[in-house]
Amino acid sequence: MSARPLVLVVDPGDQIYRGYCLDQVAASYDVVLLTGTEPSWETPYIVDHAVADLDDTTDLLAAGRALAARHELAGVLTWSEWHLVATARLARALGLPAASVEVMRACRNKATARTLFARHGVPSAASMTARSLLEAGLATMTIGYPAVIKPAAFAGSIGVIRIDRPEELPDAFEFASAGASQSREDTAVLVEEYLDGPEISVECVTHRGVTTAVAVTRKSLGPAPYFDETGHTVDAGDPLLALVAPVASAAIRALGITDGVQHVEMRLVDGRPRLIEVNARVGGDMIGHLVRTATGIDLPKTAADLACGNSPDLTPTRRGAAGIRMLYPAASGTLTERQINKLFAAYTPWLQQVQWTRQVGDPLLLPPDGDLFTARAGFYIVTGRDTAEVNQRLDTAADEITVTTQADR
């Protein structure tokens, strides 16, 4: 029998983007898995598993209880945005440390979060809910232009679009509604004030009501009017951290979060932080991996520590920088070529990883017809001493990578 604590992970996600999370947790904990399909790549990291319909709360709870009957669990966690509420409910049912279901619902619902931000004086964006085109039009009369139309309860920038004129509203409302319709929690659309400025996220850890901002992630976005994230950089010495940390902490406190890892998105408007949303999980797009590469702080392990009621060690052990860039095609179509200069890849030590997610012959579909799940061909990660060097290296590597599509007839 292992002497290590046992943690239950709900929905490990895919190996490419979330494999590092399971790897880092399994380095310190024994892991049992609650998943929607039979484990494959996860097998080396786990000691047991159960398969359930993760979108069916009753089935998920039953499977979780079955695992708890077989094992003495110390905690339950997930890094899946879609299963935050169900995981909180399962942890409570098993008598294990957990955020309340109501708090997780507030994090998932952007309209609820905006209300709480306003109530607690957290700088955010003006926002109104619209369940019809007429309501959206009335909302723009109050909020003005430019405006952002977005699903109230979804993720991944899906269905999020900027409009600058009234005549753009009908198509934008239809686009946002299509994204909102995929939500199992709230199919409403929000009309929001456009926050004009650089987008960042603050990677935070909250323990017993005290929040520590451990890193700032600077983001790159694709072409307007959409908000697809095309890259991220993390620098252990980023001077923005001191400016944005208090606002991130205030947002987390407003939502009632007392423990966990948070990915807090905001924009800098005239140099001042304004909240977009708080995600109660490790950030996606390999951000947790970038944080560890730049600072040495292990966010997935920290999430497991907190889920088990333990105090995390947030001592930085590195001082560097890292960045990721997503590989998008210039136009939608069938992927006909994907390659990197092999000599460059072999003799470039700061090129940490090149990962393809699509094969030649696969379709790549950009917004408005597609989203990040259909548009990306892969990504690459570089390291450096600071943000400037990382950005330079991201650009250098881009010149050595080819992604070509052919328009479908």
Side-chain angles (χ1 to χ4, degrees):
M1 294 291 291
S2 172
R4 303 196 308 172
L6 194 66
V7 65
L8 169 57
V9 172
V10 177
D11 187 12
D14 72 294
Q15 183 178 15
I16 290 174
Y17 282 102
R18 287 302 198 183
Y20 79 93
C21 292
L22 192 58
D23 177 58
Q24 291 176 20
V25 171
S28 299
Y29 289 86
D30 286 344
V31 177
V32 295
L33 199 63
L34 185 51
T35 179
T37 58
E38 283 294 331
S40 54
W41 65 268
E42 305 98 330
T43 302
Y45 301 106
I46 64 176
V47 298
D48 196 4
H49 75 278
V51 176
D53 181 351
L54 300 182
D55 297 328
D56 183 321
T57 301
T58 300
D59 200 32
L60 185 148
L61 288 173
R65 288 190 175 102
L67 284 169
R70 299 200 295 267
H71 303 279
E72 185 177 349
L73 301 177
V76 180
L77 80 151
T78 187
W79 38 80
S80 165
E81 177 71 20
W82 321 112
H83 300 109
L84 290 169
V85 175
T87 300
R89 186 177 285 114
L90 173 60
R92 287 298 185 203
L94 299 179
L96 295 169
S100 75
V101 171
E102 291 72 24
V103 167
M104 289 299 98
R105 281 178 176 158
C107 293
R108 288 286 300 126
N109 192 296
K110 297 172 179 63
T112 302
R114 289 273 187 251
T115 299
L116 291 170
F117 294 156
R119 184 179 302 163
H120 292 270
V122 179
S124 181
S127 179
M128 298 179 70
T129 300
R131 295 190 179 275
S132 68
L133 179 58
L134 175 61
E135 289 183 0
L138 293 172
T140 60
M141 295 174 66
T142 299
I143 289 173
Y145 292 91
V148 176
I149 317 297
K150 65 198 290 188
F154 214 54
S157 300
I158 294 171
V160 185
I161 187 170
R162 168 182 163 169
I163 58 172
D164 297 311
R165 297 177 296 278
E167 54 267 29
E168 297 171 352
L169 180 59
D171 287 345
F173 184 79
E174 182 179 356
F175 177 75
S177 296
S181 69
Q182 300 177 57
S183 173
R184 297 183 300 273
E185 296 159 287
D186 189 341
T187 57
V189 165
L190 300 182
V191 179
E192 295 194 339
E193 171 191 9
Y194 173 66
L195 302 178
D196 190 5
E199 185 165 334
I200 64 168
S201 62
V202 190
E203 317 315 323
C204 297
V205 176
T206 303
H207 181 45
R208 296 177 180 172
V210 177
T211 295
T212 302
V214 300
V216 170
T217 304
R218 297 184 184 240
K219 300 178 177 295
S220 300
L221 300 181
Y226 310 105
F227 291 82
D228 281 9
E229 295 178 353
T230 59
H232 314 274
T233 61
V234 175
D235 185 336
D238 198 318
L240 269 180
L241 190 60
L243 171 68
V244 300
V247 177
S249 296
I252 290 165
R253 189 163 52 249
L255 289 167
I257 299 171
T258 58
D259 289 274
V261 172
Q262 298 85 37
H263 170 69
V264 183
E265 298 182 351
M266 57 180 73
R267 281 198 169 203
L268 303 176
V269 180
D270 296 326
R272 298 175 181 273
R274 300 273 298 277
L275 255 293
I276 298 175
E277 63 191 46
V278 175
N279 300 282
R281 53 166 172 79
V282 178
D285 279 357
M286 303 291 288
I287 287 173
H289 174 75
L290 299 183
V291 170
R292 188 187 193 194
T293 301
T295 71
I297 296 172
D298 188 336
L299 291 179
K301 178 186 177 295
T302 294
D305 292 338
L306 295 167
C308 295
N310 299 325
S311 299
D313 182 1
L314 301 179
T315 306
T317 58
R318 302 173 189 168
R319 190 171 179 83
I324 184 172
R325 186 168 292 177
M326 307 303 166
L327 293 167
Y328 285 84
S332 295
T334 299
L335 181 61
T336 56
E337 183 182 14
R338 47 155 241 194
Q339 65 175 353
I340 181 169
N341 182 322
K342 292 182 179 179
L343 283 177
F344 174 79
Y347 293 100
T348 307
W350 47 259
L351 182 63
Q352 187 184 85
Q353 181 181 357
V354 177
Q355 178 67 60
W356 298 108
T357 57
R358 292 291 184 270
Q359 305 294 324
V360 169
D362 287 348
L364 294 179
L365 200 60
L366 295 167
D369 301 312
D371 52 44
L372 64 89
F373 297 112
T374 65
R376 294 174 174 177
F379 61 81
Y380 61 97
I381 295 174
V382 307
T383 60
R385 291 169 295 184
D386 53 29
T387 301
E389 186 170 66
V390 163
N391 281 330
Q392 182 184 39
R393 288 175 171 178
L394 287 168
D395 289 342
T396 298
D399 292 336
E400 307 294 335
I401 299 174
T402 302
V403 176
T404 306
T405 55
Q406 180 176 333
D408 297 325
R409 296 179 178 177

